[in-house]
Amino acid sequence: MRGTKWKKMILSTAFLLSTLLLQACSTQTQSSKPAVPSSAKGKDGGTLTVVRLSDATKLDPHFITDIPSANIVYQKVYETLVVPDENMKPHPKLATKWTQLNETTWEFELRQGVAFQDGTPFDAEAVQTTFKRLLDPQTRSPQASKLAMIKDIAVVDRYTVQFHLNEPYTPLLSILASNEGSIISPKVLKENPKQLMDHPVGTGPFMFEHWKTGQEIALKKNGNYWGAKPAIDRVVFKVVPEDTTRLAMVEAGEAHINDQVPVSEIDRIEASKALSLYRTEGLGVEFIGFNTQKAPLDNVKVRKAISHAIQRDGMMKGVYNNSGRLANAAMSPKVFGYSEEIKPLGYNLNQAKQLLKEAGFTSGLELTIVTNDRKERIALAEVVQSQLKGIGVNAKVQVLEWGAYIDTLNNGKHQMYIGGWGNATGDGDYNQYNLFHSSSHGGAGNHMYYKNEKVDTLIEAARKEMTEGKRKSLYQEAMKIELEEAVYIPIRYYEHLAVHNKHVEGIWINPVNYLMLDEVTLK
């Protein structure tokens, strides 16, 4: 499709393209965004208290590499040009409409009358400044590769901006709607960009108030917000490492929401008259990853041996209390590009032992499995540890606090790890490019430090392919190679869980696992 046809592609066509992101299996879980009758809503005002397992690592969207940290600022302090709804369909936010002028040029008309929380006007230059900073090699943003298709951002007039791409990139709207697409105050970027790590400044409905490291992060209502203002006055994210303490605080009314619920507590929550359990199917996947550049896991036979030694059947009940679904690949059924035809290596102890022997480990070997301090991940690591004994592999489990865990993976200090990837766009590119492309090693997402030229080529081709069927075929071929080379072991597709007490109305969590506060009220 070229020439004049491209010039006729307007907003409705952009929406049509975005529906490529939405192909998914049906789900029996509840809707992400339940309707709340006006008669049941609470009153305006008050402070919402959210208790969480771990503190954020940083608050600059160009350096955030984990969902828990992004959850603090996404669509709260920061906003994006477009925003996904509960089905991951993009809608106008800071951009009111957009037009795809040709294969590599997208034009956005911007919302007028918007100001950043420091009083700086929002306009085309602010958009240009944000993305130029992200893509500048001197910035060293781990998120730059996710938007590397952008060649230039041109200011057409004060409220019109054009994105010129290096090559066609079908899911552009989806990546602009993610946390990486957050628009930052140009004044701060010019005067003191380092402050953004712990003092964010955006256009959103909430303003940063304070961060007491290891204790809490507080946001307050932005009184000058351009849109519908939130009902609550403040939100405080408190760090409470103990699972039982978090639940007890919500149950007693000392806190309102716990959005990091251990699956081991589901039965207790459902039995409580004071607690309500919110659960919805997400876009993320949990897996066991191998650092393919760290001996002995740089040997594909060792990785295959370990993969054949892991019995995944029974893990959903034994480890996850039937929360989520058993995974067949590192891409959720709710993400565009998923294929049920992809199969992981099966359980086969004899084959596992033979492969270890062929790899030269006749007397076994020792490995370390790194995990963060979530209960179910520790439980999974211990199950894997036990199963590997059956082939003579002695695995040590190393449990790290969230920040140390992220640092270890980003710097390639691990061998095996219990990992997860929370897709932020609904498109397979976010999984494939970030988890498996050789340019994404480290903080960008490829903690397996995997490199395969053919897989790189397939992923790159899928990024610019406009035909839905061809894109799916490209992803399917890439995923097949990744599993044949035993780069990881798929475990489960996420179900997002949150517990809240009866004082809270209007809570919903979007498929990425972001807690959305636009409709929350307190009784």
XYZ file of all heavy atoms in Angstrom, residues 65-148:
676
model
N 12.802 0.075 34.105
C 12.826 -1.193 33.371
C 11.943 -2.250 34.019
O 12.033 -3.424 33.670
C 14.261 -1.743 33.260
O 14.802 -1.927 34.582
C 15.163 -0.797 32.478
N 11.085 -1.848 34.952
C 10.215 -2.823 35.612
C 8.822 -2.231 35.813
O 8.667 -1.025 36.028
C 10.807 -3.258 36.952
C 10.985 -2.097 37.916
O 11.885 -1.255 37.717
O 10.206 -2.017 38.881
N 7.816 -3.095 35.740
C 6.424 -2.675 35.867
C 6.124 -2.072 37.243
O 5.434 -1.054 37.337
C 5.472 -3.847 35.570
C 5.610 -4.277 34.106
C 4.022 -3.490 35.877
C 5.142 -3.266 33.100
N 6.602 -2.658 38.360
C 6.294 -2.068 39.670
C 6.712 -0.604 39.802
O 6.005 0.194 40.419
C 7.057 -2.967 40.653
C 7.101 -4.290 39.971
C 7.296 -3.963 38.514
N 7.849 -0.236 39.223
C 8.270 1.164 39.276
C 7.426 2.027 38.350
O 6.992 3.131 38.714
C 9.752 1.294 38.901
O 10.577 0.634 39.839
N 7.187 1.527 37.134
C 6.367 2.274 36.182
C 4.965 2.503 36.722
O 4.333 3.532 36.440
C 6.314 1.527 34.851
N 4.477 1.570 37.524
C 3.124 1.649 38.076
C 2.916 2.896 38.929
O 1.800 3.399 39.067
C 2.835 0.395 38.903
C 1.361 0.057 38.949
O 0.509 0.836 38.542
N 1.060 -1.112 39.452
N 3.979 3.416 39.498
C 3.885 4.607 40.349
C 3.526 5.846 39.525
O 2.751 6.704 39.963
C 5.218 4.861 41.090
C 5.623 3.640 41.933
C 5.133 6.121 41.946
C 4.723 3.358 43.098
N 4.080 5.947 38.318
C 3.964 7.192 37.554
C 3.080 7.101 36.317
O 2.577 8.117 35.837
C 5.367 7.700 37.129
C 6.177 8.102 38.339
C 6.113 6.648 36.299
N 2.862 5.893 35.789
C 2.164 5.747 34.506
C 0.707 6.204 34.584
O -0.068 5.693 35.391
C 2.235 4.295 34.048
C 1.549 4.044 32.715
C 2.115 4.493 31.527
C 0.337 3.372 32.657
C 1.501 4.271 30.309
C -0.291 3.143 31.436
C 0.291 3.590 30.265
O -0.330 3.370 29.070
N 0.337 7.175 33.757
C -0.996 7.774 33.702
C -1.415 8.373 35.048
O -2.602 8.609 35.284
C -2.042 6.766 33.210
C -1.726 6.155 31.867
C -1.546 7.172 30.733
O -2.047 8.292 30.795
N -0.807 6.772 29.702
N -0.438 8.613 35.885
C -0.674 9.291 37.161
C 0.097 10.609 37.138
O -0.494 11.684 37.065
C -0.255 8.397 38.327
C -0.983 7.049 38.355
C -0.430 6.138 39.432
C -1.044 4.753 39.380
N -0.596 3.934 38.231
N 1.431 10.519 37.187
C 2.267 11.718 37.038
C 2.492 12.014 35.557
O 2.428 13.160 35.126
C 3.613 11.536 37.757
C 4.513 12.753 37.514
C 3.412 11.326 39.250
N 2.750 10.959 34.796
C 3.025 11.113 33.369
C 1.852 10.649 32.517
O 1.088 9.769 32.916
C 4.271 10.305 32.978
C 5.562 10.878 33.491
C 6.330 10.181 34.428
C 6.019 12.110 33.047
C 7.516 10.712 34.903
C 7.215 12.645 33.518
C 7.954 11.942 34.442
O 9.134 12.476 34.915
N 1.753 11.256 31.339
C 0.774 10.828 30.353
C 1.463 10.616 29.014
O 2.601 11.042 28.806
C -0.336 11.874 30.214
C -1.173 12.025 31.472
C -2.257 13.068 31.321
O -1.920 14.235 31.004
O -3.432 12.728 31.523
N 0.759 9.972 28.115
C 1.284 9.620 26.809
C 0.421 10.239 25.712
O -0.687 10.716 25.977
C 1.310 8.090 26.660
O 0.044 7.560 27.092
C 2.394 7.475 27.523
N 0.904 10.213 24.482
C 0.139 10.772 23.370
C -1.175 10.023 23.183
O -2.224 10.616 22.931
C 0.958 10.737 22.080
C 2.206 11.621 22.040
C 2.956 11.439 20.730
C 1.847 13.088 22.257
N -1.104 8.708 23.276
C -2.304 7.872 23.220
C -2.311 6.975 24.446
O -1.273 6.738 25.061
C -2.359 7.032 21.927
C -2.503 7.909 20.712
C -1.130 6.142 21.794
N -3.478 6.484 24.812
C -3.598 5.669 26.012
C -4.435 4.431 25.690
O -5.427 4.522 24.965
C -4.238 6.485 27.166
C -5.663 6.898 26.839
C -4.184 5.715 28.478
N -4.036 3.248 26.197
C -4.816 2.050 25.918
C -6.008 1.929 26.869
O -5.932 2.339 28.023
C -3.814 0.920 26.151
C -2.884 1.469 27.191
C -2.793 2.951 26.912
N -7.105 1.352 26.364
C -8.223 1.062 27.248
C -8.043 -0.334 27.830
O -6.964 -0.942 27.717
C -9.559 1.216 26.511
C -9.725 0.229 25.352
O -8.935 -0.739 25.255
O -10.653 0.427 24.541
N -9.096 -0.874 28.462
C -8.975 -2.183 29.112
C -8.755 -3.316 28.123
O -8.384 -4.429 28.514
C -10.204 -2.471 29.982
C -11.519 -2.508 29.226
C -12.212 -1.161 29.201
O -11.515 -0.121 29.218
O -13.459 -1.144 29.168
N -8.947 -3.061 26.831
C -8.689 -4.054 25.795
C -7.426 -3.737 25.000
O -7.179 -4.323 23.950
C -9.885 -4.145 24.847
C -11.126 -4.662 25.559
O -11.075 -5.654 26.276
N -12.245 -3.973 25.386
N -6.646 -2.776 25.495
C -5.400 -2.340 24.876
C -5.615 -1.646 23.533
O -4.705 -1.540 22.722
C -4.412 -3.506 24.718
C -3.992 -4.138 26.028
S -3.288 -2.942 27.217
C -1.748 -2.493 26.430
N -6.798 -1.130 23.300
C -7.070 -0.344 22.102
C -6.683 1.105 22.375
O -7.108 1.680 23.371
C -8.543 -0.425 21.732
C -8.907 0.334 20.460
C -10.385 0.151 20.123
C -10.752 0.915 18.852
N -12.175 0.735 18.483
N -5.879 1.745 21.504
C -5.416 3.110 21.775
C -6.502 4.159 21.584
O -7.305 4.084 20.654
C -4.283 3.302 20.765
C -4.589 2.358 19.659
C -5.269 1.182 20.287
N -6.502 5.126 22.484
C -7.439 6.249 22.434
C -6.657 7.550 22.596
O -5.532 7.556 23.095
C -8.471 6.127 23.566
C -9.451 5.021 23.363
N -10.649 5.185 22.722
C -9.397 3.714 23.714
C -11.308 4.041 22.691
N -10.562 3.124 23.288
N -7.211 8.673 22.193
C -6.520 9.955 22.346
C -6.221 10.289 23.806
O -7.022 9.988 24.691
C -7.515 10.958 21.748
C -8.365 10.163 20.815
C -8.494 8.814 21.465
N -5.075 10.892 24.045
C -4.728 11.413 25.363
C -4.123 12.801 25.169
O -4.841 13.775 25.020
C -3.772 10.471 26.102
C -3.660 10.775 27.588
C -4.960 10.486 28.338
C -4.794 10.632 29.827
N -6.007 10.258 30.565
N -2.804 12.911 25.117
C -2.189 14.196 24.828
C -2.232 14.516 23.332
O -2.037 15.660 22.933
C -0.744 14.223 25.339
C -0.593 14.206 26.870
C 0.878 14.169 27.261
C -1.302 15.385 27.510
N -2.473 13.504 22.519
C -2.766 13.721 21.103
C -4.262 13.544 20.911
O -4.856 12.610 21.451
C -2.004 12.733 20.232
N -4.879 14.435 20.177
C -6.329 14.349 19.959
C -6.671 13.490 18.748
O -7.735 12.878 18.693
C -6.939 15.742 19.772
O -6.271 16.411 18.691
C -6.775 16.570 21.044
N -5.771 13.444 17.771
C -5.950 12.557 16.622
C -4.625 12.391 15.896
O -3.662 13.123 16.147
C -7.027 13.079 15.671
C -6.760 14.435 15.040
C -7.926 14.806 14.127
C -7.719 16.162 13.467
N -8.836 16.512 12.555
N -4.577 11.418 15.001
C -3.349 11.134 14.289
C -3.667 10.618 12.894
O -4.743 10.100 12.612
C -2.495 10.106 15.037
C -3.258 8.893 15.481
C -3.451 7.727 14.790
C -3.932 8.725 16.731
N -4.209 6.848 15.529
C -4.520 7.441 16.734
C -4.090 9.547 17.857
C -5.261 6.954 17.801
C -4.839 9.052 18.921
C -5.402 7.770 18.899
N -2.699 10.785 12.002
C -2.826 10.362 10.615
C -1.524 9.700 10.186
O -0.443 10.223 10.465
C -3.090 11.570 9.688
O -4.217 12.283 10.156
C -3.327 11.108 8.252
N -1.621 8.548 9.543
C -0.433 7.934 8.970
C -0.324 8.421 7.532
O -1.097 8.046 6.659
C -0.507 6.407 9.023
C 0.799 5.759 8.608
C 0.833 4.262 8.869
O -0.164 3.696 9.302
N 1.956 3.638 8.603
N 0.653 9.307 7.272
C 0.778 9.948 5.968
C 1.364 9.015 4.918
O 1.029 9.096 3.739
C 1.643 11.203 6.084
C 1.137 12.274 7.073
C 2.108 13.441 7.118
C -0.264 12.740 6.702
N 2.266 8.157 5.329
C 2.821 7.128 4.455
C 3.395 6.037 5.347
O 3.188 6.058 6.560
C 3.872 7.705 3.488
C 4.987 8.458 4.210
O 5.576 7.945 5.159
N 5.260 9.690 3.781
N 4.134 5.109 4.779
C 4.622 3.961 5.552
C 5.492 4.362 6.740
O 5.556 3.650 7.738
C 5.420 3.020 4.638
C 4.561 2.229 3.665
C 5.390 1.276 2.835
O 6.575 1.594 2.568
O 4.868 0.218 2.445
N 6.169 5.490 6.634
C 7.136 5.859 7.674
C 6.895 7.233 8.293
O 7.768 7.741 8.993
C 8.569 5.812 7.101
O 8.657 6.709 5.985
C 8.947 4.408 6.653
N 5.741 7.816 8.052
C 5.449 9.149 8.611
C 4.093 9.158 9.293
O 3.072 8.852 8.670
C 5.474 10.244 7.532
O 6.726 10.191 6.835
C 5.297 11.613 8.155
N 4.104 9.495 10.574
C 2.876 9.619 11.363
C 2.773 11.053 11.878
O 3.748 11.605 12.395
C 2.904 8.671 12.565
C 2.886 7.209 12.228
C 3.873 6.494 11.614
C 1.847 6.283 12.531
N 3.505 5.177 11.510
C 2.262 5.015 12.065
C 0.600 6.394 13.148
C 1.480 3.869 12.206
C -0.181 5.257 13.288
C 0.252 4.016 12.818
N 1.585 11.634 11.743
C 1.364 13.005 12.207
C 0.347 13.009 13.342
O -0.700 12.368 13.249
C 0.867 13.882 11.052
C 0.718 15.359 11.444
C 0.413 16.233 10.235
O 1.382 16.602 9.531
O -0.784 16.507 10.000
N 0.680 13.743 14.410
C -0.181 13.817 15.593
C -0.600 15.261 15.840
O 0.250 16.162 15.840
C 0.552 13.285 16.820
C 0.856 11.816 16.766
C 1.985 11.359 16.080
C 0.026 10.897 17.377
C 2.269 10.003 16.015
C 0.303 9.543 17.316
C 1.426 9.090 16.626
N -1.888 15.465 16.019
C -2.396 16.767 16.451
C -2.533 16.732 17.968
O -3.144 15.809 18.530
C -3.733 17.070 15.782
C -3.615 17.276 14.283
C -4.907 17.753 13.657
O -5.737 18.358 14.380
O -5.102 17.512 12.447
N -1.979 17.721 18.639
C -1.849 17.701 20.095
C -2.961 18.471 20.788
O -3.529 19.418 20.240
C -0.491 18.273 20.498
C 0.731 17.622 19.850
C 2.007 18.293 20.340
C 0.775 16.118 20.113
N -3.212 18.046 22.003
C -4.231 18.701 22.827
C -3.726 20.083 23.256
O -2.580 20.235 23.678
C -4.545 17.847 24.050
C -5.772 18.279 24.814
C -6.074 17.289 25.926
N -6.331 15.953 25.413
C -7.493 15.536 24.906
N -8.515 16.377 24.834
N -7.632 14.296 24.478
N -4.592 21.079 23.163
C -4.229 22.434 23.560
C -4.711 22.710 24.990
O -5.596 22.032 25.509
C -4.823 23.444 22.592
C -4.344 23.255 21.155
C -4.868 24.305 20.209
O -5.116 25.452 20.598
N -5.030 23.943 18.934
N -4.102 23.697 25.636
C -4.509 24.070 26.982
C -3.989 23.157 28.069
O -4.520 23.146 29.185
N -2.947 22.389 27.772
C -2.349 21.466 28.744
C -1.037 22.056 29.249
O -0.261 22.629 28.482
C -2.088 20.083 28.102
C -1.389 19.156 29.087
C -3.398 19.469 27.623
N -0.783 21.920 30.548
C 0.475 22.391 31.140
C 1.102 21.289 31.967
O 0.410 20.424 32.531
C 0.237 23.623 32.011
N 2.421 21.293 32.020
C 3.131 20.387 32.914
C 2.951 20.864 34.351
O 2.539 21.999 34.600
C 4.614 20.325 32.541
C 4.873 19.612 31.244
C 4.932 20.322 30.047
C 5.036 18.242 31.212
C 5.159 19.677 28.844
C 5.266 17.579 30.013
C 5.321 18.293 28.830
N 3.268 19.998 35.282
C 3.042 20.306 36.699
C 3.957 21.413 37.213
O 3.725 21.950 38.298
C 3.200 19.017 37.522
C 2.096 18.014 37.230
C 2.578 16.584 37.189
O 3.709 16.283 37.523
N 1.696 15.685 36.761
N 4.981 21.794 36.439
C 5.826 22.937 36.807
C 5.399 24.209 36.078
O 6.087 25.226 36.121
C 7.296 22.633 36.529
C 7.581 22.308 35.062
O 6.643 22.412 34.232
O 8.723 21.940 34.742
N 4.257 24.161 35.375
C 3.722 25.326 34.692
C 4.145 25.480 33.246
O 3.622 26.334 32.525
N 5.086 24.652 32.781
C 5.542 24.725 31.402
C 4.439 24.276 30.450
O 3.820 23.240 30.674
C 6.778 23.825 31.191
O 7.773 24.162 32.154
C 7.340 23.980 29.791
N 4.167 25.010 29.384
C 3.120 24.607 28.436
C 3.493 23.321 27.698
O 4.663 23.105 27.355
C 3.043 25.789 27.459
C 3.684 26.937 28.171
C 4.740 26.333 29.043
N 2.489 22.494 27.465
C 2.675 21.295 26.648
C 2.426 21.662 25.194
O 1.403 22.264 24.856
C 1.697 20.202 27.085
C 1.556 19.091 26.078
C 2.543 18.123 25.961
C 0.452 19.027 25.240
C 2.430 17.106 25.014
C 0.315 18.016 24.299
C 1.311 17.050 24.184
N 3.386 21.304 24.321
C 3.230 21.587 22.899
C 4.129 20.635 22.107
O 4.711 19.696 22.659
C 3.560 23.044 22.584
C 4.939 23.473 23.069
O 5.796 22.589 23.301
O 5.167 24.694 23.217
N 4.224 20.897 20.797
C 4.992 20.008 19.923
C 6.468 19.965 20.303
O 7.121 18.924 20.195
C 4.831 20.452 18.468
N 7.013 21.098 20.748
C 8.425 21.118 21.138
C 8.673 20.256 22.367
O 9.739 19.646 22.504
C 8.888 22.552 21.383
C 9.031 23.370 20.102
C 9.713 24.700 20.333
O 10.128 24.968 21.479
O 9.831 25.471 19.368
N 7.684 20.181 23.261
C 7.826 19.322 24.436
C 7.889 17.860 24.026
O 8.677 17.073 24.568
C 6.660 19.558 25.391
N 7.066 17.484 23.055
C 7.090 16.107 22.546
C 8.430 15.819 21.890
O 9.063 14.786 22.139
C 5.939 15.880 21.546
C 6.034 14.498 20.910
C 4.590 16.066 22.231
N 8.874 16.745 21.061
C 10.155 16.583 20.378
C 11.305 16.449 21.385
O 12.167 15.570 21.261
C 10.403 17.776 19.456
C 11.691 17.685 18.656
C 11.981 18.981 17.901
O 12.127 20.039 18.510
N 12.041 18.908 16.581
N 11.314 17.307 22.403
C 12.378 17.290 23.407
C 12.413 15.970 24.166
O 13.490 15.407 24.417
C 12.192 18.453 24.397
O 12.222 19.690 23.688
C 13.277 18.443 25.458
N 11.239 15.452 24.515
C 11.163 14.188 25.256
C 11.779 13.046 24.464
O 12.641 12.310 24.964
C 9.699 13.849 25.584
O 9.221 14.746 26.579
C 9.576 12.429 26.114
N 11.359 12.881 23.211
C 11.830 11.734 22.439
C 13.265 11.899 21.960
O 13.996 10.909 21.819
C 10.877 11.456 21.275
C 9.577 10.843 21.718
C 8.434 11.609 21.857
C 9.521 9.496 22.043
C 7.244 11.045 22.286
C 8.339 8.915 22.479
C 7.197 9.686 22.603
N 13.692 13.126 21.730
C 15.100 13.330 21.367
C 16.010 12.953 22.527
O 17.079 12.374 22.334
C 15.335 14.786 20.941
C 14.896 15.069 19.513
C 15.488 16.372 18.991
C 15.252 16.510 17.491
N 15.893 17.710 16.924
N 15.585 13.293 23.728
C 16.383 12.920 24.897
C 16.433 11.402 25.051
O 17.487 10.813 25.325
C 15.778 13.563 26.144
C 16.599 13.315 27.408
C 15.937 12.356 28.384
N 16.597 12.347 29.698
C 16.106 11.776 30.772
N 14.914 11.192 30.719
N 16.769 11.782 31.908
N 15.295 10.737 24.857
C 15.245 9.280 24.977
C 16.179 8.611 23.974
O 16.903 7.660 24.305
C 13.809 8.798 24.758
C 13.590 7.284 24.607
C 13.986 6.561 25.884
C 12.139 6.987 24.273
N 16.188 9.103 22.734
C 16.935 8.460 21.655
C 18.387 8.906 21.563
O 19.174 8.296 20.835
C 16.220 8.725 20.329
C 14.806 8.139 20.221
C 14.114 8.643 18.967
C 14.852 6.620 20.231
N 18.763 9.945 22.279
C 20.139 10.434 22.264
C 21.065 9.376 22.883
O 20.886 8.989 24.036
C 20.240 11.731 23.064
C 21.616 12.372 22.976
O 22.579 11.705 22.543
O 21.738 13.553 23.367
N 22.068 8.881 22.148
C 22.981 7.870 22.697
C 23.645 8.302 23.999
O 23.976 7.458 24.852
C 24.018 7.684 21.579
C 23.310 8.107 20.333
C 22.393 9.229 20.762
N 23.844 9.610 24.172
C 24.486 10.084 25.386
C 23.584 9.933 26.617
O 24.065 9.932 27.743
C 24.895 11.546 25.221
C 25.995 11.754 24.181
C 26.501 13.189 24.146
O 26.096 14.028 24.941
N 27.408 13.468 23.216
N 22.274 9.810 26.388
C 21.352 9.586 27.504
C 21.541 8.195 28.104
O 21.352 7.979 29.292
C 19.888 9.750 27.036
O 19.728 11.060 26.488
C 18.915 9.556 28.184
N 21.905 7.242 27.254
C 22.114 5.848 27.667
C 20.860 5.235 28.280
O 20.907 4.507 29.273
C 23.291 5.738 28.648
C 24.621 6.183 28.075
C 25.741 6.058 29.098
N 27.013 6.480 28.565
C 27.857 5.696 27.897
N 27.541 4.444 27.669
N 29.005 6.166 27.446
N 19.728 5.529 27.661
C 18.473 4.971 28.151
C 18.344 3.503 27.750
O 18.481 3.170 26.570
C 17.287 5.756 27.591
O 16.079 5.051 27.814
N 18.034 2.617 28.704
C 17.798 1.212 28.349
C 16.521 1.025 27.550
O 16.273 -0.061 27.032
C 17.713 0.526 29.720
C 17.268 1.604 30.657
C 17.902 2.859 30.147
N 15.710 2.078 27.450
C 14.462 1.996 26.691
C 14.624 2.483 25.258
O 13.681 2.391 24.463
C 13.371 2.838 27.389
C 13.101 2.450 28.829
C 12.484 1.062 28.957
O 12.553 0.243 28.064
N 11.852 0.810 30.080
N 15.775 2.993 24.901
C 15.968 3.580 23.574
C 15.709 2.578 22.463
O 15.140 2.919 21.416
C 17.371 4.157 23.451
N 16.103 1.323 22.666
C 15.942 0.326 21.609
C 14.474 0.073 21.291
O 14.135 -0.318 20.174
C 16.618 -0.986 22.009
O 16.005 -1.552 23.154
N 13.599 0.296 22.263
C 12.172 0.065 22.031
C 11.584 1.076 21.058
O 10.536 0.832 20.452
C 11.410 0.107 23.362
C 11.775 -1.006 24.337
C 10.934 -0.915 25.588
C 11.197 -2.088 26.535
N 12.510 -2.062 27.133
N 12.238 2.242 20.921
C 11.760 3.272 19.998
C 12.811 3.631 18.960
O 12.792 4.706 18.373
C 11.342 4.517 20.783
C 10.084 4.288 21.638
C 10.383 4.579 23.096
C 8.936 5.111 21.143
N 13.717 2.696 18.703
C 14.817 2.954 17.770
C 14.350 3.103 16.334
O 15.113 3.553 15.479
C 15.845 1.830 17.863
